[in-house]
Amino acid sequence: MVLPRKLPGMPGWPAALGLRLPQKFLFLLFLSGLLTLCFGALFLLPDSSRFKRLFLPRRATSSSSSSSSSSTRDTELPRSPPAAAEPRHASPAAPRRLREKLRARNAAPAAHTAPASRPQGPDGERPAEVGTGAPRESRAPFHFDYERFRQSLRHPVRGGRPDQDPDTRARKMKIKEMMKFAWDNYKQYALGKNELRPLTKNGHIGNMFGGLRGATVVDALDTLYIMELEEEFQEAKTWVEKSFDLNVNGEASLFEVNIRYIGGLLAAYYLTGEEVFKSKALELGEKLLPAFNTPTGIPRGVINLGSGMSWSWGWASAGSSILAEFGTLHLEFLHLSELSGNPVFAEKVLNIRKVLKRVEKPQGLYPNFLSPVTGNWVQHHVSIGGLGDSFYEYLIKSWLMSDKKDSEAKKMYDDALEAIEKHLVKKSAGGLTYIAEWRGGILDHKMGHLACFSGGMIALGAEHGGEERKQHYMDLAAEITNTCHESYARSDTKLGPEAFRFDAGTEAMATRLSERYYILRPEVVESYVYMWRLTHDVKYRQWGWEVVKALEKHCRVEAGFSGIRDVYTTVPTHDNMQQSFFLAETLKYLYLLFCEDDVLSLDDWVFNTEAHPLPVNHSNFKAKASVQ
Ligand code: DMJ
């Protein structure tokens, strides 16, 4: 401890007290005794004390914290509750059923989640267990009853009835062939890399997944399974078993890892019951938890999967977190709790909802940037396309996934949609309905390709509203889907641009060179599927078939499918990238468009934002926690 040095022209403070040398020594002795006493008292403070956390090594205070003791960022709130306690961050208004479930889980001697390969702390010790204070060895393993879950489904997952119409059957088979072609080329030239580069016939790794590999494998698993590409599914499964390494050390997008890897693994587990998918999902889920260690519990966008350090995107205003990123965790995280018996994942996302409920919404709208430190909006940009999109999607899907019990999510969705309709939904001079973007009250009359998922979302939400509202929202959904179809129909390739505008005489076309590309995105086809399933209007199948033909003509190359740089030329340049979401989403949705409705029935499944099916928790769902 260094005492303040004497300043020129001022007496030292023991001297200023008029003390002589022996007295000075006595005074210093007393002072150091006092300091030692104060520091020692820290050990007597309760575990929750902020001071204790500031001064003591992290592991000593985080027995109930998230898994990664290797996180170097000290945490404030929130923390997981000790066993048998009410989840600290479960909102009082949070769905009662979910809270009861969490309480039951907390009381159960459960929470064996991580396999033996779980990372160790920096000094070689095991990190503290997630969500319980009990030592790992003393707790019985949690068991999710997969067989009972399968019995609870209302339809066979791959469909019970064969298609009647030969044309529809042929179209379905064509899409299956496209999937096989995309997979075979990825396998041949890029297996283990994240994406295939189909022109140069090699792999792409990129920097979105923090050193994780095989994004295309994990994204493709459920599509291969649903299409009954058995051999190819086995190849993908073998890669996950033998080569999928989670002990990586790199900066990952929390959102992308969640929707592609966690979503893909969860769906593969629920469809097949193969334990490897579950254990990988849970292990990876734990690695994401340190991102939530912020003053509000709103996670930051980027996390190092090795160290657990997290931070905000450099491009996000003032260190903010992005609505569509932290708002697109709910479905997967509830399932991580469901499968592990560990409430920590559900607590994290319930807390996000609590923060969002509490914060004031300008005109009832949710801006895209929120500070994880203050919990306030950082900028007033509102969009149902990029940066906002899947937040709204997860509200309505949370309600559906809860078997319509999560009325809080439904209310938030209804209110948000009402504000969007009031302030953002417009009609063009030519009669096309579109959803504009909002910048502090000023409208930008532009719709991104990403925003085209909203036709399907609005139809899904409408399906369960009152009769009058239902018709209103079904009409709105149909109009938006029609506008997105127009953005395809008005291009030379019959594929849609990244963004299209409604200004200066332009309708549903890109006006900027930088917005003319198409990267194999799924959102328009996604809306066709929901509209088809909910209305059975054959035009949606016709529109889907137009997309198949355009993909074959302009995107299929010798070794896979590639995005194109300009949809307004029939001799487009390829971008040399077969995105993983092409296999996860675009081809899956196209296939489902030509399947009977009981294949991945909407009665049994909700699709995460990467089109990975997660089961609805039916009231007759009897897969309860049991201790082996
Ligand atoms: C996908 O990764 C997901 O659909 C996500 O929500 C946003 N967009 C891409 C595909 O366009």
Side-chain angles (χ1 to χ4, degrees):
M1 178 66 63
V2 180
L3 289 170
R5 285 174 47 202
K6 186 180 166 190
L7 296 175
M10 286 188 67
W13 55 274
L17 295 174
L19 300 178
R20 289 213 296 253
L21 200 60
Q23 290 168 318
K24 281 183 196 167
F25 275 120
L26 273 176
F27 179 81
L28 286 173
L29 206 63
F30 166 73
L31 203 64
S32 58
L34 193 68
L35 286 171
T36 312
L37 210 64
C38 289
F39 188 72
L42 282 171
F43 290 87
L44 301 175
L45 290 173
D47 259 8
S48 58
S49 163
R50 208 177 264 210
F51 289 107
K52 190 166 180 174
R53 272 185 267 132
L54 276 174
F55 286 99
L56 297 182
R58 179 178 159 73
R59 202 176 46 257
T61 61
S62 63
S63 64
S64 62
S65 180
S66 61
S67 67
S68 179
S69 69
S70 52
S71 168
T72 53
R73 187 181 293 276
D74 194 16
T75 58
E76 294 191 355
L77 292 172
R79 288 177 174 266
S80 322
E86 176 76 14
R88 189 186 295 184
H89 299 292
S91 153
R96 193 164 50 88
R97 218 164 133 256
L98 182 53
R99 278 188 288 126
E100 277 164 8
K101 231 174 162 182
L102 291 179
R103 202 178 297 119
R105 289 285 159 77
N106 269 335
H112 176 102
T113 59
S117 64
R118 191 151 175 245
Q120 298 195 332
D123 54 3
E125 280 188 45
R126 276 194 185 283
E129 291 293 331
V130 177
T132 81
R136 183 186 186 83
E137 294 72 20
S138 70
R139 283 180 286 119
F142 174 80
H143 173 67
F144 175 82
D145 193 333
Y146 183 78
E147 285 314 313
R148 292 172 94 171
F149 152 68
R150 282 301 292 257
Q151 284 160 20
S152 77
L153 295 177
R154 297 171 196 181
H155 305 270
V157 292
R158 296 198 269 201
R161 288 171 293 152
D163 300 295
Q164 297 304 308
D165 173 29
D167 285 349
T168 305
R169 267 206 310 272
R171 288 178 174 191
K172 204 172 104 178
M173 286 305 115
K174 173 63 200 166
I175 297 157
K176 182 171 170 175
E177 183 277 327
M178 292 165 76
M179 179 69 186
K180 182 166 166 47
F181 181 69
W183 170 261
D184 284 348
N185 279 290
Y186 166 76
K187 185 185 72 179
Q188 183 171 355
Y189 299 113
L191 184 65
K193 302 289 191 310
N194 285 324
E195 296 94 3
L196 164 71
R197 287 192 175 279
L199 296 186
T200 44
K201 299 184 182 172
N202 58 348
H204 174 257
I205 292 175
N207 53 11
M208 248 179 352
F209 307 117
L212 292 175
R213 301 286 162 91
T216 295
V217 181
V218 180
D219 249 358
L221 279 165
D222 53 13
T223 311
L224 294 171
Y225 181 80
I226 287 303
M227 292 185 178
E228 300 178 56
L229 286 162
E230 312 292 359
E231 204 180 300
E232 291 76 6
F233 173 78
Q234 285 307 325
E235 291 161 358
K237 184 185 143 198
T238 303
W239 186 87
V240 172
E241 279 168 342
K242 302 224 161 90
S243 311
F244 186 31
D245 183 10
L246 299 186
N247 290 315
V248 293
N249 193 4
E251 296 153 22
S253 156
L254 171 71
F255 163 79
E256 296 290 355
V257 169
N258 178 57
I259 67 168
R260 300 194 201 206
Y261 284 93
I262 304 266
L265 291 165
L266 287 174
Y269 172 68
Y270 280 119
L271 291 171
T272 66
E274 299 280 0
E275 287 291 316
V276 63
F277 300 131
K278 182 176 84 175
S279 63
K280 294 277 184 194
L282 296 180
E283 189 179 349
L284 189 51
E286 290 202 18
K287 285 173 182 285
L288 299 182
L289 290 173
F292 294 79
N293 292 336
T294 64
T296 57
I298 296 288
R300 298 184 197 276
V302 185
I303 176 158
N304 183 306
L305 296 174
S307 69
M309 276 188 75
S310 68
W311 52 92
S312 305
W313 292 107
W315 48 263
S317 331
S320 54
S321 297
I322 310 299
L323 182 68
E325 296 198 331
F326 64 78
T328 310
L329 303 165
H330 203 97
L331 305 183
E332 295 83 359
F333 273 51
L334 287 196
H335 277 289
L336 290 177
S337 279
E338 180 77 34
L339 290 181
S340 65
N342 186 340
V344 70
F345 303 102
E347 287 167 38
K348 299 295 182 199
V349 289
L350 285 174
N351 176 62
I352 292 175
R353 186 184 287 177
K354 189 170 143 195
V355 173
L356 284 173
K357 265 195 82 182
R358 199 172 44 208
V359 66
E360 199 182 316
K361 272 74 80 184
Q363 321 267 5
L365 296 165
Y366 288 82
N368 292 334
F369 299 92
L370 188 88
S371 163
V373 176
T374 65
N376 292 323
W377 305 117
V378 173
Q379 226 193 49
H380 282 188
H381 172 222
V382 177
S383 160
I384 201 159
L387 305 177
D389 49 7
S390 41
F391 158 67
Y392 306 98
E393 176 186 353
Y394 271 35
L395 285 179
I396 193 62
K397 288 183 177 175
S398 294
W399 179 66
L400 291 166
M401 201 177 83
S402 72
D403 207 18
K404 303 174 198 168
K405 305 279 191 309
D406 184 356
S407 50
E408 181 180 73
K410 179 70 161 63
K411 168 100 175 74
M412 286 172 78
Y413 170 81
D414 285 343
D415 292 349
L417 186 59
E418 203 176 307
I420 285 168
E421 198 179 359
K422 186 163 171 204
H423 299 289
L424 272 57
V425 173
K426 298 284 157 199
K427 197 160 258 193
S428 72
L432 296 178
T433 302
Y434 63 95
I435 309 183
E437 299 193 1
W438 192 86
R439 294 171 197 278
I442 314 269
L443 285 185
D444 189 0
H445 297 270
K446 154 194 164 191
M447 218 173 141
H449 192 290
L450 290 168
C452 284
F453 84 99
S454 59
M457 177 189 74
I458 293 168
L460 255 186
E463 181 63 11
H464 309 287
E467 261 322 296
E468 203 181 314
R469 281 182 87 201
K470 174 178 169 176
Q471 195 49 52
H472 170 75
Y473 283 122
M474 281 310 288
D475 293 345
L476 180 61
E479 286 171 30
I480 288 165
T481 307
N482 177 60
T483 300
C484 291
H485 172 253
E486 282 301 312
S487 77
Y488 276 49
R490 293 174 191 212
S491 81
D492 298 30
T493 54
K494 305 301 167 206
L495 294 165
E498 180 66 4
F500 45 93
R501 293 179 182 267
F502 300 85
D503 49 23
T506 301
E507 300 234 339
M509 288 185 73
T511 53
R512 302 179 185 181
L513 270 179
S514 60
E515 293 172 344
R516 292 167 160 229
Y517 63 89
Y518 171 70
I519 55 168
L520 307 174
R521 286 200 192 277
E523 290 77 15
V524 174
V525 176
E526 178 181 347
S527 283
Y528 294 168
V529 175
Y530 287 112
M531 293 308 294
W532 162 253
R533 288 234 170 147
L534 299 171
T535 66
H536 290 128
D537 183 334
V538 289
K539 80 177 172 204
Y540 297 112
R541 277 188 163 171
Q542 283 156 10
W543 291 354
W545 190 244
E546 286 167 14
V547 176
V548 171
K549 287 192 290 183
L551 285 169
E552 284 286 283
K553 191 164 173 195
H554 301 292
C555 300
R556 188 168 180 143
V557 294
E558 194 191 320
F561 288 88
S562 167
I564 55 176
R565 297 194 195 281
D566 186 350
V567 295
Y568 299 110
T569 167
T570 47
V571 276
T573 320
H574 294 105
D575 69 6
N576 195 20
M577 182 68 80
Q578 179 177 281
Q579 303 281 352
S580 76
F581 53 69
F582 181 64
L583 291 85
E585 299 189 74
T586 314
L587 290 175
K588 186 189 285 133
Y589 283 134
L590 281 169
Y591 183 77
L592 291 177
L593 191 55
F594 296 97
C595 283
E596 296 292 310
D597 290 357
D598 57 353
V599 180
L600 291 182
S601 163
L602 298 180
D603 293 338
D604 285 327
W605 304 92
V606 288
F607 292 91
N608 89 336
T609 194
E610 189 80 358
H612 296 306
L614 300 171
V616 171
N617 200 346
H618 292 309
S619 41
N620 66 348
F621 180 58
K622 295 195 184 72
K624 291 261 187 285
S626 65
V627 178
Q628 279 181 328

